[in-house]
Structure formats: C-alpha cells, structure tokens
Amino acid sequence: MINYMQVPSRIVNAALLGRAKATDHDGLEDTRNMQLESIEAGLLEFRTQNLWVSSSPGTVELVEFRFPGGLTYQISLNIVSVAKQNNHYSISASFLSSESEDKFWSVFLANMRSLDKTSEVKEWPRLPCRGQYTESARQRRLSFIREHTGVTMEHIGKTDLQPESLKRVTESFIGTVEIPVGAAGPLMFHGQLVKGHIFVPMATTEGSLIASATRGATAITCCGGITTAVLDRRITRVPLFQMADLHDALFLAQWVKSRFLDIRKQTQLMSKHADLKRIEPQILGRDGSYAVSSDPVKNKRSLNHFPSSINLFILFKQY
C-alpha cells in the first residue's frame, strides 16, 4: 500500500493532509483522508477518520510525501500501533532505521530551504475600500474576498451592525459571527457604583466554563459577597530586555530612569491617546524588566505603543 501525504507546512507537527489508497476486503479500492499530527522522537502519529484500517502493527508501509513545489519523497515506515479513538483511528509508525530517519529530515530541510527563496513581489491583491465605513464599501470587500478565496461567507456577510458606527472599533469591516452567550451568577457585589446581585454575560464555546464561574460566584455570595474599590487607574506594559550580565542590566535600569522624559516624548510621537507616567525598572538576574505605567487611555490601541517606543528609543541610543 502507498500512502500519499501532502506536506503544506514547514512546521513538522502541523496538519499534513493527503489521501491513502488501500484495498478493502471485497477487493474495492478505498480512499480515506489522513493526517500526520506529529513527529516526535522518531515516532510518527497519523490520524484517519475511516472506521477501518488495513494497516496492522508489525507491517511495513510505503509512504510518499509530497511537498509544495513538486518535491516528493518515498519512505518505508513500520506500523507500531493502531488504536480506535471515538470516530477515528490513530496510527503510530516509526522509521526503519536511523539512516532512513536522517534521510527524511534532510529531504524535509531541503524543502524548507526551497520555501525560503524569496523573490521581489511587484503586485499583490489589495482589499478595496480600505478606510471606508459604508455598506457599499463592505459589500465591495465581501465580493472581493469571495472572488479571491472562493468562499461564499454566507453567514459572515449577514449583520445588523451599521458600518458607519464602527470607525473606532474595527477596520475593513466585512461582517459578524454568532457566538453563544451564557449568564454566570449570581454574585453579591459591594462596589462603589454597583451594589447587589449581578449576573455576568460570558461569550464562550468552552463547555463547563460558565458553570464553573457560577459555582465560584455562588460560593462567594454565600460568604457575604465581594467588596471592591478603585484605588487607581493605570495600564501597564512590561517589555523585557535580556542583557549580557548583571552589570549591564543595572546600567540599563539606571539609564532608562535617567532618560524618562525623552522616552515619554518618543511615546507621545507614536500615540496621541496615552500619557506615559512612570517607568519602574525591575532587575531579574541579568534580565532588566521594565514595568511601564500610563494614565487612563481613550482606547486600548495605544497599549501597543509603549514597548515599541521604548525599543525604538533604545535602538536610537546605542550605548
């Protein structure tokens, strides 16, 4: 039997899709979908949705890997185990020898290097109507993506949201998806602005999550509830710099503190929504970790600017 495996990724344990042809007990050719889920310590883990498997432990199968760009490679593998898992089978296989394993990885590496060859891209598909928040612009983007991908996006394209109201929410808006929302609670809450039993809406597809949150809220409520107060409003970011040794980390900590005003000015150039209030260096061995605090911001987009502004400033000042 020859198994044809398509290898679309440079990551070994990524999904590898293909077809395996076998002959069933009636002499008919069967085509089943297969996946190579992982390769670890010389053991290859396959998965097939078929409810029967012709391979059995101890048999040797010939596998042909087809890489992007037309590269193919055939190798014989020893079937180690076949196990039924609900509605699919898991197949473990091993290389016949260390030489065959080394040969496989050398071929795989050659494919990786071939994917690294880049060429100058002069033209690429451009999404239409970027920066436009109208229904006609949304429909033009949907039509473009349908034509480019072949996906109809029937459900995503249906939405009750008005594109004009999403200018500060998203970009290149095309539609929405439906997510189940459950309610967790009750939670007895003693806050400065909110008091009483509250129920929290939670959008999730993780089973038992809301039930767990409800059990925790009920336990807290039975104990008298929870009391909260807002003491300060700050948003923190923690970029990490790994230095050569402890002395360099100490130097960088002092240097960053001494250049606070310059770093603050650099931050303001990259974000008009945030105001850098302080930098608190923390030394962790040879690593210098810097907690950056800001004033409340108008929107969370400015959070991304704190680490980048500090990194840029460090690069500008090569000490």
Side-chain angles (χ1 to χ4, degrees), residues 16-33:
L16 310 178
L17 305 178
R19 295 182 300 173
K21 294 183 178 180
T23 303
D24 63 17
H25 302 290
D26 297 326
L28 300 175
E29 186 180 74
D30 171 69
T31 300
R32 63 177 183 265
N33 293 324

Side-chain angles (χ1 to χ4, degrees), residues 20-288:
K21 294 183 178 180
T23 303
D24 63 17
H25 302 290
D26 297 326
L28 300 175
E29 186 180 74
D30 171 69
T31 300
R32 63 177 183 265
N33 293 324
M34 295 187 67
Q35 274 186 303
L36 176 58
E37 295 193 320
S38 65
I39 304 177
E40 186 175 353
L43 198 65
L44 301 91
E45 298 291 341
F46 294 92
R47 172 192 176 113
T48 175
Q49 295 291 340
N50 224 22
L51 296 180
W52 68 272
V53 178
S54 59
S55 303
S56 59
T59 61
V60 176
E61 304 289 355
L62 182 64
V63 177
E64 181 177 89
F65 290 90
R66 292 180 174 177
F67 297 89
L71 179 63
T72 62
Y73 178 65
Q74 291 187 358
I75 185 173
S76 295
L77 299 176
N78 178 49
I79 304 301
V80 177
S81 64
V82 179
K84 186 176 181 180
Q85 307 285 344
N86 297 325
N87 62 341
H88 71 273
Y89 282 84
S90 295
I91 306 174
S92 298
S94 62
F95 296 99
L96 298 184
S97 64
S98 58
E99 290 78 10
S100 63
E101 182 178 4
D102 292 341
K103 178 62 176 177
F104 170 82
W105 287 115
S106 65
V107 173
F108 200 88
L109 178 60
N111 175 71
M112 290 174 59
R113 289 173 174 170
S114 66
L115 295 177
D116 283 335
K117 295 180 180 179
T118 59
S119 58
E120 183 180 356
V121 179
K122 296 183 179 179
E123 295 184 0
W124 55 86
R126 297 178 182 274
L127 196 65
C129 302
R130 292 185 58 186
Q132 298 182 23
Y133 292 86
T134 63
E135 180 61 22
S136 61
R138 185 180 80 91
Q139 292 297 335
R140 285 189 60 186
R141 288 191 290 266
L142 275 172
S143 299
F144 172 83
I145 294 177
R146 290 189 182 110
E147 181 180 351
H148 186 71
T149 65
V151 180
T152 61
M153 294 186 295
E154 177 183 357
H155 298 289
I156 294 179
K158 297 178 180 178
T159 179
D160 294 329
L161 299 180
Q162 300 300 319
E164 293 81 2
S165 65
L166 303 176
K167 291 183 178 181
R168 296 185 179 275
V169 176
T170 188
E171 295 81 34
S172 300
F173 175 63
I174 61 172
T176 55
V177 295
E178 189 175 26
I179 302 176
V181 179
L187 174 63
M188 187 55 160
F189 201 84
H190 306 285
Q192 294 172 309
L193 300 177
V194 178
K195 300 181 184 295
H197 294 93
I198 65 172
F199 292 85
V200 180
M202 300 179 65
T204 178
T205 57
E206 180 180 347
S208 76
L209 177 62
I210 295 177
S212 297
T214 296
R215 287 193 294 270
T218 302
I220 293 174
T221 299
C222 291
C223 296
I226 184 172
T227 302
T228 66
V230 178
L231 304 179
D232 196 4
R233 294 181 62 189
R234 291 290 184 268
I235 299 176
T236 62
R237 301 296 275 176
V238 188
L240 176 68
F241 298 91
Q242 185 171 1
M243 312 304 294
D245 51 40
L246 179 60
H247 297 292
D248 286 354
L250 291 170
F251 169 79
L252 183 60
Q254 294 298 320
W255 183 86
V256 166
K257 292 176 65 176
S258 68
R259 297 297 191 276
F260 171 77
L261 294 179
D262 295 328
I263 298 175
R264 184 182 186 184
K265 184 181 300 183
Q266 182 67 31
T267 301
Q268 291 171 343
L269 293 177
M270 303 188 68
S271 173
K272 63 181 180 180
H273 302 284
D275 181 21
L276 182 63
K277 303 301 291 185
R278 62 178 180 265
I279 300 178
E280 301 173 359
Q282 298 178 5
I283 307 299
L284 307 174
R286 66 174 182 175
D287 300 330

